[in-house]
């Protein structure tokens, strides 16, 4: 591997666009090509979609040739129709933020800690459950408090 390829892989990885299943791409265009890189996830998904739309390849054949399931094809197509190329970038799964730990909940935690500075996240989780009927993992509390410390 040359230096240019290594830097491209690094950039793809940093943007979440490195295709972890590059070896599963069997399409001939992606074999020994400088342009069609099977490690470029966005390019692979785009070409898979294009083959179906423009060249009339079946969804099953395209998905197989590009290393995806039919479900993944339909997800990619919906994302592309909604957002264009950025829609083909992978999304972080799961919650995007600490949705239980709202400003009001964090204020409650601050009040409890002002009253008793020895309280740690497990005790705070018990207090949240008891007073606010809110179940929060102690580690989530720790992360939320750490984020606030970073910001402030």
């Amino acid at each position: 591997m040359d230096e240019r390829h290594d830097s491209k892989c690094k950039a793809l990885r940093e943007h979440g666009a490195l295709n972890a299943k590059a070896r599963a791409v069997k399409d001939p265009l992606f074999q020994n090509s400088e342009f069609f890189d099977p490690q470029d996830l966005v390019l692979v998904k785009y070409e898979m979609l294009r083959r179906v739309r423009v060249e009339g390849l079946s969804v099953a054949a395209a998905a197989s040739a590009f290393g995806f399931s039919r479900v993944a094809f339909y997800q990619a197509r919906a994302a592309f129709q909604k957002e264009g190329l950025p829609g083909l970038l992978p999304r972080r799964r799961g919650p995007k933020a600490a949705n239980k730990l709202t400003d009001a909940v964090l204020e409650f935690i601050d009040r409890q800690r002002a009253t008793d500075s020895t309280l740690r996240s497990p005790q705070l989780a018990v207090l949240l459950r008891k007073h606010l009927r809110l179940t929060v993992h102690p580690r989530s509390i720790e992360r939320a408090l750490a984020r606030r410390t970073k910001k402030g």
Side-chain angles (χ1 to χ4, degrees), residues 47-117:
E47 185 60 19
M48 174 180 66
L49 296 174
R50 192 193 70 75
R51 288 291 175 79
V52 171
R53 171 81 182 193
V54 176
E55 296 181 14
L57 194 62
S58 75
V59 170
S64 176
F66 290 92
F68 291 98
S69 66
R70 286 186 343 223
V71 170
F73 170 87
Y74 289 116
Q75 290 170 339
R77 184 174 71 180
F80 181 73
Q81 288 171 340
K82 183 178 179 186
E83 302 174 45
L85 280 176
L88 298 181
L89 284 167
R91 298 279 192 267
R92 192 179 118 200
R93 300 191 195 301
K96 307 301 183 247
N99 57 348
K100 290 184 181 181
L101 295 171
T102 63
D103 290 339
V105 173
L106 291 172
E107 287 172 16
F108 173 83
I109 290 172
D110 289 341
R111 287 193 303 274
Q112 298 303 311
R113 291 176 75 201
T115 304
D116 182 355
S117 63

Side-chain angles (χ1 to χ4, degrees), residues 98 100-101 109 120-126 128-129 134-145:
K100 290 184 181 181
L101 295 171
I109 290 172
R120 298 291 171 242
S121 57
Q123 293 92 5
L124 290 167
V126 170
L128 288 172
R129 192 170 31 255
L134 185 64
T135 303
V136 180
H137 193 278
R139 185 67 185 117
S140 295
I141 296 170
E142 291 170 10
R143 285 192 299 264
L145 294 174

Side-chain angles (χ1 to χ4, degrees), residues 1 3-15 17-18 37 39:
M1 289 203 184
E3 190 175 317
R4 184 176 55 203
H5 188 263
D6 289 344
S7 66
K8 180 180 180 183
C9 285
K10 181 182 176 195
L12 289 170
R13 186 177 294 109
E14 286 173 0
H15 292 283
L18 183 65
D37 185 351
Q39 293 188 344

